[in-house]
Amino acid sequence: MDQPDFRLSSRAQGLKASEIRELLKLVGKPTMISFAGGIPDPALFNIGLFQRACLHAFGGPQIAREALQYSTTEGYAPLRQFLAAHMQALGVPARADNILVTTGSQQALDLIGKLLIDPGSTVLTARPTYLGALQAFAAYEARFASLDTPRPVGADAPRLLYLTPDFANPTGLTMGLAARQQALDSARALNAIVVEDGAYTALRYDGAPLPAIAALDAAAGSMETMRTLYCGSFSKTLSPGLRVGWVCGPAALIRKLTLLKQSADLHTASINQLVMHQVALAGLDAQIAAIRSVYRTRRDAMLAALERYAPPGLHWQKPEGGMFIWLDLPAHLDAGALLDQAIAQGVAFIPGAAFFPDGSGRNSLRLSFSLCDEAQIELGIFKLCALFGRQSLSRAVSVH
Ligand code: PMP
């Protein structure tokens, strides 16, 4: 029988499966050296801390009932307090009512899309940028434009600028202080909102931290006059599985986002918030210190292997933190077309085109160093570089 016409909304008709998430299903084999997933190494989860926090959450009838009951949409009050203090340490003078706890920071991106985007609204992003943000905003029928390209005269004024100033996914790049200030100035001139994605901020391996855009914004006025919504997450530091993130901004916008969240899921799981709060209180700083040291070693191993094995024509930059190195291949190579061969040799990566709204970036790819140990990194980069080298060479031979 023919498939019925389900009469989907125009929003839903435009939805496409993410290439990355489809691909990740294929690379779960234990023998695969995966530079594909941008996920934390589960061996680094502090399981003991989570065990103790669960025991605490069920440690007496009072707290256990709270953990198992519905709760307020804004989030578990002690966690909001903790997050306000965390934001203060980043230079943002937040109070609890400037914080909404979300189901991962991904939900914050979705709610912000709901809050700000009408069909056809323009969103400015870096190119390439985080695929999950593109998906979240695309679901509200956003149009995307590059931060760096001048907009045509008469174009719709952008509603929001989406930025990952620290160690962006997928490029690993960091925005300098001047670029942060400039982005804020542009947002003011456009009367647009800055969405600052701080998912990787804690994972700095070199250099001094730079001020959050939200901190620059608040310093120029107040929490209530700022136009930055800062999205934070425990996913890269403590655990992505509990799905606890947050958004910090002016209370007026937080109240609107809270109403939108109410209709999405009422609130983030009470037990998850209690546990995450307990774990963060007991060990966030120590956990960050521990994983930074492991990931720094892996980043350095990947950079060293690239130095050793990369054929001429490959380009990359050293990321100061995060989980990613972005690799540019010679212009005639198509990373997507080479992925099958790489997987056949037991190495996976994400083709760069996945991170561009228009599918450009064919000769680039994203390598994640978070999941593999140094020996796997060395072997995987050796195999990839050999593959890229053979491709460059076969082209050179066929041209002459
Ligand atoms: N922002 C960026 C830049 C990310 O890479 C991710 C996760 N890959 C997220 C947000 C979402 O993370 P979560 O929902 O787990 O907080």
Side-chain angles (χ1 to χ4, degrees):
M1 228 185 3
D2 286 345
Q3 195 176 350
D5 170 11
F6 289 122
R7 303 184 66 209
L8 301 180
S9 67
S10 60
R11 266 188 321 285
Q13 285 174 28
L15 297 180
K16 284 194 298 255
S18 144
E19 233 179 273
I20 296 193
R21 303 215 202 281
E22 292 301 306
L23 179 86
L24 286 180
K25 292 182 193 157
L26 299 177
V27 299
K29 284 192 280 176
T31 51
M32 184 71 64
I33 298 178
S34 179
F35 301 140
I39 59 178
D41 184 345
L44 299 174
F45 295 153
N46 192 330
I47 294 170
L49 269 186
F50 282 94
Q51 281 172 332
R52 284 194 289 282
C54 289
L55 285 177
H56 171 84
F58 291 111
Q62 184 90 21
I63 189 162
R65 285 174 191 144
E66 195 173 3
L68 296 171
Q69 187 55 285
Y70 281 121
S71 72
T72 57
T73 306
E74 290 84 347
Y76 178 53
L79 179 61
R80 290 177 88 203
Q81 289 292 354
F82 177 93
L83 291 171
H86 180 82
M87 292 308 302
Q88 287 162 20
L90 294 177
V92 184
R95 297 183 327 193
D97 63 355
N98 298 115
I99 305 284
L100 170 66
V101 177
T102 54
T103 300
S105 61
Q106 187 66 35
Q107 186 184 44
L109 297 175
D110 176 60
L111 297 176
I112 290 168
K114 239 186 202 176
L115 181 76
L116 298 173
I117 298 171
D118 286 317
S121 299
T122 302
V123 170
L124 298 182
T125 73
R127 275 167 47 94
T129 193
Y130 172 49
L131 179 63
L134 293 176
Q135 287 174 324
F137 301 146
Y140 296 102
E141 300 176 80
R143 256 202 293 253
F144 296 99
S146 164
L147 280 166
D148 316 315
T149 318
R151 278 181 319 288
V153 181
D156 199 29
R159 297 280 176 91
L160 69 92
L161 282 71
Y162 168 75
L163 302 164
T164 308
D166 294 318
F167 334 124
N169 179 2
T171 58
L173 296 180
T174 303
M175 290 170 73
L177 182 57
R180 292 172 196 233
Q181 189 60 57
Q182 202 181 349
L184 187 54
D185 292 344
S186 309
R188 287 198 184 114
L190 293 164
N191 190 19
I193 298 287
V194 175
V195 178
E196 178 173 25
D197 188 331
Y200 296 94
T201 296
L203 300 182
R204 176 175 277 283
Y205 314 131
D206 308 310
L210 289 163
I213 295 175
L216 299 172
D217 198 356
S222 72
M223 274 315 287
E224 302 318 315
T225 60
M226 67 193 277
R227 57 175 60 254
T228 305
L229 287 168
Y230 181 99
C231 302
S233 178
F234 290 117
S235 291
K236 314 298 175 185
T237 50
L238 294 176
S239 154
L242 286 191
R243 311 303 303 127
V244 182
W246 69 94
V247 50
C248 173
L253 290 183
I254 294 296
R255 279 195 295 275
K256 285 282 184 197
L257 288 167
T258 305
L259 293 176
L260 294 169
K261 179 173 166 69
Q262 206 157 52
S263 66
D265 64 356
L266 298 184
H267 62 82
T268 294
S270 311
I271 173 77
N272 295 15
Q273 295 189 67
L274 258 79
V275 167
M276 201 56 110
H277 175 240
Q278 199 58 33
V279 169
L281 265 185
L284 179 60
D285 292 345
Q287 175 68 4
I288 289 173
I291 64 177
R292 275 165 86 177
S293 132
V294 174
Y295 290 145
R296 179 190 292 114
T297 307
R298 291 178 183 176
R299 176 204 59 175
D300 291 344
M302 190 172 272
L303 289 168
L306 283 167
E307 284 296 337
R308 226 177 351 263
Y309 301 125
L314 264 58
H315 298 284
W316 64 92
Q317 285 186 38
K318 176 181 179 176
E320 289 180 4
M323 296 183 170
F324 308 110
I325 294 174
W326 183 253
L327 198 60
D328 288 316
L329 306 178
H332 66 275
L333 292 187
D334 180 341
L338 293 174
L339 180 59
D340 282 350
Q341 291 177 57
I343 288 181
Q345 292 179 32
V347 192
F349 58 81
I350 306 282
F355 303 97
F356 287 84
D358 59 3
S360 51
R362 286 161 67 87
N363 65 317
S364 303
L365 56 123
R366 188 190 79 176
L367 298 170
S368 167
F369 50 80
S370 60
L371 268 183
C372 300
D373 66 25
E374 289 134 82
Q376 287 174 313
I377 289 174
E378 164 93 14
L379 180 62
I381 294 295
F382 171 78
K383 287 182 171 183
L384 277 186
C385 287
L387 172 66
F388 298 148
R390 283 195 301 277
Q391 294 298 320
S392 302
L393 204 66
S394 65
R395 156 82 178 207
V397 169
S398 67
V399 168
H400 290 105

